[in-house]
């Protein structure tokens, strides 16, 4: 029986953070050949029977919508820390976006705004609940920050669509951020 959550985490690690460990050739938009990914996974006893059908089921079952498959290729939507910049489609964001964070980061955010901090983009949530859940990874009682995305966009801040719950930005200056 395949544990699709574990498989998703393994693939996320491969596609977001360490494609070289899996000998994957990633294009400028973060796409990797499904065949190449399966060859790499199948070398591990744990994943030796994984097929493209399993990847499709994993994507369908995932609540977080981390990956997509198209035309024989797969990629992670967001969360990359690989040195190359993954090209994203710039889009006008919703009026307001949110960011969940640990309370200990608030002073730095007030001073410097939201920065990618080791990732390629700042991750923003389309709803408060998602932002709160993200913040809880780092703090039992996180802060949710409200981002005036419309004003930031009008002032020239670039936003990129991640998926139906996640938006990305290069950075968000503190003047567009309020604590909820």
């Amino acid at each position: 029986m395949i544990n699709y959550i574990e498989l998703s985490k393994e693939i996320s690690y491969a596609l977001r953070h360490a494609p070289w460990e899996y000998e994957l050739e990633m294009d400028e938009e973060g796409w990797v050949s499904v065949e190449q990914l399966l060859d790499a996974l199948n070398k591990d006893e744990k994943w030796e029977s994984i097929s493209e059908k399993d990847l499709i089921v994993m994507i369908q079952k995932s609540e977080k919508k981390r990956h997509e498959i198209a035309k024989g290729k797969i990629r992670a939507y967001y969360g990359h820390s690989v040195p190359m910049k993954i090209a994203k489609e710039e889009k006008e964001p919703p009026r307001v976006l949110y960011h969940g964070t640990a309370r200990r980061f608030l002073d730095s955010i007030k001073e410097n705004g939201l920065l990618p901090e080791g990732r390629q983009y700042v991750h923003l949530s389309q709803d408060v609940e998602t932002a709160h859940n993200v913040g809880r990874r780092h703090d039992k009682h996180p802060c949710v920050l409200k981002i005036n995305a419309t004003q930031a966009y009008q002032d020239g801040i670039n936003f990129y669509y991640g998926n139906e719950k996640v938006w990305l930005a290069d950075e968000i200056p503190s003047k567009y951020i309020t604590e909820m």
Side-chain angles (χ1 to χ4, degrees), residues 2-180:
I2 297 168
N3 181 327
Y4 288 105
I5 293 171
E6 275 188 44
L7 179 60
S8 178
K9 287 179 181 181
E10 181 85 18
I11 291 172
S12 291
Y13 177 73
L15 297 178
R16 291 172 165 180
H17 308 296
W20 56 88
E21 285 183 27
Y22 297 80
E23 298 179 16
L24 301 176
E25 296 171 25
M26 184 176 284
D27 72 15
E28 66 279 354
E29 294 180 339
W31 291 102
V32 169
S33 157
V34 168
E35 183 179 339
Q36 199 176 71
L37 177 63
L38 288 173
D39 285 346
L41 290 171
N42 293 159
K43 289 176 184 169
D44 184 330
E45 190 178 301
K46 184 175 186 176
W47 307 118
E48 65 187 356
S49 64
I50 297 297
S51 68
E52 184 170 353
K53 182 182 174 205
D54 295 316
L55 298 179
I56 292 166
V57 170
M58 174 199 74
I59 290 169
Q60 291 170 342
K61 286 183 174 239
S62 173
E63 290 180 23
K64 295 189 177 181
K65 304 297 179 212
R66 291 181 169 133
H67 310 99
E68 67 176 321
I69 290 181
K71 299 178 185 172
K73 294 184 175 185
I74 185 168
R75 73 175 173 179
Y77 275 122
Y78 57 87
H80 299 85
S81 66
V82 292
M84 65 184 273
K85 188 84 165 181
I86 303 297
K88 291 289 180 186
E89 181 184 354
E90 187 180 330
K91 280 192 164 184
E92 184 172 348
R95 190 177 63 77
V96 174
L97 291 167
Y98 303 93
H99 182 80
T101 191
R103 291 170 286 153
R104 68 183 178 275
F105 299 137
L106 285 178
D107 288 340
S108 175
I109 292 169
K110 286 175 186 173
E111 187 175 326
N112 304 308
L114 289 169
L115 303 171
E117 301 293 341
R119 289 188 167 184
Q120 293 192 359
Y121 298 98
V122 172
H123 289 213
L124 305 167
S125 302
Q126 197 153 320
D127 61 83
V128 174
E129 181 182 357
T130 301
H132 187 265
N133 289 338
V134 169
R136 283 186 48 192
R137 293 181 194 153
H138 308 287
D139 189 325
K140 285 183 182 179
H141 304 287
C143 280
V144 174
L145 305 174
K146 184 176 176 180
I147 312 302
N148 183 342
T150 295
Q151 188 62 57
Y153 181 76
Q154 289 172 353
D155 290 350
I157 302 298
N158 294 329
F159 288 84
Y160 311 93
Y161 180 78
N163 66 31
E164 63 268 4
K165 290 189 174 194
V166 176
W167 280 79
L168 307 168
D170 296 313
E171 64 180 67
I172 303 291
S174 56
K175 69 180 181 178
Y176 304 108
I177 303 168
T178 54
E179 214 176 313
M180 289 184 64

